[in-house]
């Protein structure tokens, strides 16, 4: 079964916002065995939307559309649906009641005509009730294609996908299985990996596909199997990964189903009842922010000192001034002191510290742009590594954060 | 002139990664008057890519494609280009030299066959030299459409777009003008704004388009004008915005061209030679991370204490224990103390503090989920506001960060 995901909105086409909805929907469909054939972003123009709907009809079995359901004049998805399905808008009483409740109860103001129009839906649509906002989703069919329209606001879209649409799709469609498993490797380039695993790759059966996903400092190897026997596919993938460990096991830090490494760390450290603190300089809060974006962080994360200025490293973190004067602020000695001080101040089991020069200009140090030191304080002591992450700034910060997570992950695994 | 942006890669279609390249390219094209008609993500399958190229030929004048240029077997863009353009691959000597330099000089290992293949390009292509990596870009034409292929690695793609492609497009094409200006409003819902500016909106000339861009806690109003007289379009938009200020001036915090509010703050605070520190609890480092992602932060940003645990607020930030015991950790008294302590510890002019309950579970406080207090310490004193940002977690954190930036922006503007 194949789907196309469509986002509507000029803000995407002029690059004002990044479309994150399509990725979320694709992942949800993938989990239930529906393959996304294409993703498409189109403008707020009626003709463009109509042309898109016509083109997709009978080409895929499912079209999921986000955007254009707001209360303002630039939102035209509902009217366009009426044209395409030769339908008219009617007032949905349950939605109207909910809109009233939200506007009058939550925002404490009288409901207006514009608000009321949120409760209008095409008469032939199955209304997908949206608990999280005023715009309902809609489910309509034309010949062999189901068209689903959802609001573009991410948390409303997510609610409808998870709670309403996925259960309904599972109920109403026969789907085959798609099994993915991604092997995370760190510290070796993709071309070198490709050479080393060439024989293994050539021996994969034709229903298993391999993809290389390089990003700063790491390469993920994704295996995808498609077929009808989910258990069989899973076993086959597990066996292939076991073989892979024999070839490049030294650079593999684990496998990932849906899990970013920060989630894996969060689970691991929580299960081991250990605590963590951080002292970030060049990464500027990104390590802490990535961890605290996951709920439950308060059970292991004590806190962080973002010591961006040199004075902060001395006065607040307590790094000895002599150390900085002797070795410079971007050095092994300073990063290790930062980690130890953080561990001590926060009374945590582990502490990560970063210091470096992310560029494009040199800051409080003469270190080459791209130089980053990362230290890890553990219950047994402290160690650090020096890296050069090149340029530009976003790559340096991104690689430093990934590398910090890698060091931490390997360390916690040992215990 | 119209363009379509295509990304190639199964990792996008299964939701494993979010496509950020298309947005970057669209913004760059928009600036030079090239409108993006559609964005499209397709699979790594040769047939699918070929079908896409054929469909786009003569439909738009420009197609920019990213992805599928890596050294591994799943990268098939070059071979597919050869099929589509009836061409063959030849070795480009300049690219080969560069690949050798990168592999042997930077990675310190001998060049392999796989590496060498990076220097193969279709014989009819204009090679776009990629200083940042081993895969060059390619510029090819078929009838009325220019096809450009770029590597998918974001910093390589960005380099080629900014340094090579945009200058070449400016040189080789006649383009009309697109002028955008976005008005940032905070604290009022889009439907209420739409009612209040209805007459103004109806009076816009037909070459100016208005879009509402709501996100947690703010609504941006984007005006887009298209035509040939860039100066005239700019003046017209300025005049319309002046009228808008008369109607809803109290909720407008400024206009944005390309600038997120954190960039505006960074510029403003730097120009006024003031300094900032932060004490983040529920926002977990996101305020600091947003500011330090912009280079030059070290000139005004002193640092932050992420006091996630209650003990951290007491022991490190120095919030009096009695205050927390009397008023609870999520309270006006505690957030104001956090801001004042941060200001004092870091010796900064301004300090922002956040404390709240982002959910989904309650942490160290009994406060309702979604409750957030934000305080701002200024050279004159401290004040705070209480908010309820609802659910889920990502919305609470996002709204809190936006609101903190809004308060800070308004405060610095006053001086």
């Amino acid at each position: 079964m194949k789907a196309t995901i469509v986002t509507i909105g000029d803000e995407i086409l002029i690059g004002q916002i990044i479309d994150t909805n399509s990725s979320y929907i694709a992942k949800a469909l993938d989990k239930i065995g529906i393959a996304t054939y294409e993703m498409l972003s189109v403008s707020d123009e009626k003709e463009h939307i109509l042309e898109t709907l016509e083109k997709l009809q009978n080409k895929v079995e499912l079209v999921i559309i986000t955007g254009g359901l707001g209360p303002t004049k630039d939102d035209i998805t509902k009217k366009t649906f009426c044209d395409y399905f030769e339908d008219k808008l009617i007032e949905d009483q349950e939605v109207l009641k909910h809109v009233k409740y939200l506007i009058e109860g939550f925002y404490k103001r009288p409901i207006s005509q514009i608000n009321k129009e949120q409760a209008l839906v095409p008469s032939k649509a199955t209304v997908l009730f949206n608990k999280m906002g005023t715009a309902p989703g809609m489910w309509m069919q034309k010949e062999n294609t189901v068209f689903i329209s959802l609001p573009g606001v991410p948390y409303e879209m997510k609610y409808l996908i998870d709670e309403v649409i996925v259960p309904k799709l599972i109920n109403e469609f026969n789907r085959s299985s798609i099994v993915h498993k991604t092997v995370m490797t760190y510290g070796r380039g993709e071309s070198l990996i490709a050479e080393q695993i060439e024989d293994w790759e050539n021996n994969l059966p034709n229903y298993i596909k391999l993809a290389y996903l390089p990003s700063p400092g790491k390469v993920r190897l994704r295996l995808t199997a498609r077929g009808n026997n989910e258990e069989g596919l899973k076993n086959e993938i597990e066996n292939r990964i076991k073989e892979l460990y024999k070839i490049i096991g030294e650079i593999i830090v684990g496998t990932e189903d849906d899990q970013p490494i920060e989630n894996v760390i969060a689970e691991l450290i929580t299960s081991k009842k250990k605590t963590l603190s951080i002292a970030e300089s060049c990464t500027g809060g990104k390590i802490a922010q990535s961890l605290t974006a996951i709920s439950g962080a308060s059970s292991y994360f004590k806190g962080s000192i973002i010591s961006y200025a040199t004075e902060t490293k001395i006065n607040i973190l307590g790094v000895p001034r002599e150390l900085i004067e002797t070795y410079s602020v971007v050095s092994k000695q300073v990063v290790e002191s930062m980690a130890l001080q953080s561990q001590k101040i926060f009374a945590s089991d582990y502490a990560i510290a970063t210091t470096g020069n992310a560029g494009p200009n040199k800051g409080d140090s003469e270190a080459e742009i791209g130089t980053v030191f990362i230290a890890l304080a553990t219950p047994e002591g402290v160690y650090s590594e020096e890296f050069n992450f090149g340029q530009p700034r976003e790559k340096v910060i991104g690689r430093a954060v990934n590398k910090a997570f890698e060091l931490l992950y390997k360390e916690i695994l040992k215990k």
Side-chain angles (χ1 to χ4, degrees), chain A:
Chain A
M1 178 170 177
K2 283 200 293 190
T4 289
I5 299 168
V6 180
T7 49
I8 296 176
D10 289 353
E11 62 274 22
I12 294 170
L13 294 177
I14 65 169
Q16 191 164 30
I17 67 160
I18 290 169
D19 167 32
T20 56
N21 284 352
S22 297
S23 173
Y24 189 89
I25 295 169
K27 190 182 261 188
L29 294 180
D30 184 84
K31 265 195 197 146
I32 57 170
I34 299 175
T36 297
Y37 178 69
E38 277 187 355
M39 291 173 182
L40 200 58
S41 294
V42 302
S43 74
D44 289 321
E45 302 289 341
K46 190 177 192 173
E47 301 316 315
H48 196 172
I49 301 171
L50 274 178
E51 180 198 313
T52 304
L53 298 177
E54 278 156 18
K55 205 168 57 183
L56 295 174
Q57 185 185 317
N58 297 333
K59 171 134 196 190
V60 289
E61 290 101 319
L62 177 65
V63 177
I64 299 187
I65 301 157
T66 64
L69 291 183
T72 55
K73 287 206 171 63
D74 54 327
D75 292 304
I76 58 163
T77 303
K78 281 197 296 200
K79 284 179 204 137
T80 310
F81 260 47
C82 283
D83 275 21
Y84 177 63
F85 290 100
E86 295 166 12
D87 200 1
K88 60 178 197 302
L89 294 173
I90 57 164
E91 197 170 72
D92 184 285
Q93 293 311 311
E94 198 194 357
V95 175
L96 184 62
K97 210 173 120 192
H98 178 61
V99 172
K100 271 190 184 158
Y101 162 78
L102 283 179
I103 301 290
E104 295 176 351
F106 198 73
Y107 294 108
K108 311 279 183 213
R109 53 185 188 78
I111 186 167
S112 71
Q113 187 53 34
I114 288 182
N115 298 140
K116 274 189 192 157
E117 286 171 12
Q118 290 291 82
L120 294 177
V121 292
S123 73
K124 298 176 193 166
T126 302
V127 173
L128 309 172
F129 188 73
N130 173 11
K131 212 174 73 173
M132 307 297 273
T134 56
M138 297 173 290
W139 173 300
M140 299 186 80
Q141 181 148 5
K142 197 160 182 174
E143 297 185 8
N144 300 318
T145 304
V146 167
F147 293 85
I148 297 173
S149 161
L150 301 177
V153 179
Y155 60 87
E156 298 184 22
M157 175 280 298
K158 287 179 186 174
Y159 163 77
L160 281 166
I161 287 286
D162 295 344
E163 304 295 329
V164 182
I165 291 161
V166 163
K168 196 165 153 72
L169 288 170
I170 289 175
N171 243 329
E172 303 195 7
F173 289 96
N174 283 321
R175 296 147 291 106
S176 62
S177 293
I178 307 175
V179 176
H180 303 286
K181 192 122 187 177
T182 301
V183 176
M184 294 185 282
T185 76
Y186 280 86
R188 192 173 293 169
E190 63 170 330
S191 60
L192 192 52
I193 295 175
E195 285 169 43
Q196 293 172 331
I197 66 174
E198 191 178 358
D199 289 344
W200 174 88
E201 184 175 354
N202 289 336
N203 281 327
L204 289 175
N206 59 11
Y207 59 88
I208 297 186
K209 211 173 153 181
L210 173 71
Y212 293 78
L213 308 171
S215 56
K218 62 181 179 185
V219 176
R220 292 180 297 164
L221 303 171
R222 190 193 59 237
L223 288 156
T224 301
R226 287 166 206 266
N228 286 315
N229 172 3
E230 185 166 340
E231 274 313 300
L233 298 176
K234 277 186 183 164
N235 287 337
E236 185 62 28
I237 281 193
E238 285 305 326
N239 290 335
R240 299 288 165 169
I241 289 176
K242 271 184 204 150
E243 291 172 23
L244 194 62
Y245 264 94
K246 290 180 197 154
I247 313 168
I248 52 164
E250 70 280 10
I251 58 166
I252 297 178
V253 295
T255 58
E256 167 190 313
D257 292 297
D258 280 313
Q259 298 267 74
I261 191 168
E262 54 267 35
N263 292 54
V264 178
I265 288 172
E267 269 177 31
L268 200 60
I269 198 166
T270 306
S271 73
K272 300 203 174 194
K273 296 196 179 12
K274 300 292 182 192
T275 57
L276 175 71
S277 67
I278 313 177
E280 292 188 69
S281 179
C282 62
T283 50
K286 200 171 166 74
I287 298 175
Q289 187 258 317
S290 305
L291 290 171
T292 57
I294 306 159
S295 71
S298 56
S299 69
Y300 70 89
F301 179 52
K302 294 258 193 146
S304 173
I305 292 172
I306 303 177
S307 56
Y308 216 64
T310 297
E311 286 306 306
T312 302
K313 291 186 182 72
I314 298 166
N315 299 336
I316 297 161
L317 201 49
V319 174
R321 185 180 296 273
E322 312 80 69
L323 219 55
I324 293 176
E325 284 168 359
T326 311
Y327 299 104
S328 102
V329 75
V330 177
S331 65
K332 174 182 169 65
Q333 289 78 6
V334 167
V335 79
E336 292 186 357
S337 171
M338 286 171 68
L340 287 171
Q341 285 300 113
S342 176
Q343 185 186 38
K344 185 176 139 196
I345 290 172
F346 289 101
S348 60
D349 298 307
Y350 297 95
I352 306 174
T354 63
T355 183
N357 193 342
N361 307 309
K362 293 191 175 183
D364 282 355
S365 128
E366 278 307 304
E368 202 186 327
I369 290 166
T371 306
V372 176
F373 285 85
I374 302 175
L376 188 60
T378 73
E380 287 76 39
V382 66
Y383 66 89
S384 65
E385 286 189 46
E386 178 180 358
F387 303 93
N388 189 304
F389 293 137
Q391 288 192 44
R393 186 178 183 86
E394 74 175 273
K395 176 178 157 191
V396 176
I397 296 175
R399 285 185 71 167
V401 171
N402 275 332
K403 185 54 86 171
F405 284 144
E406 176 193 347
L407 295 176
L408 180 62
Y409 175 74
K410 283 184 172 168
E411 187 63 40
I412 306 174
L413 259 194
K414 281 188 206 160
K415 295 293 168 304

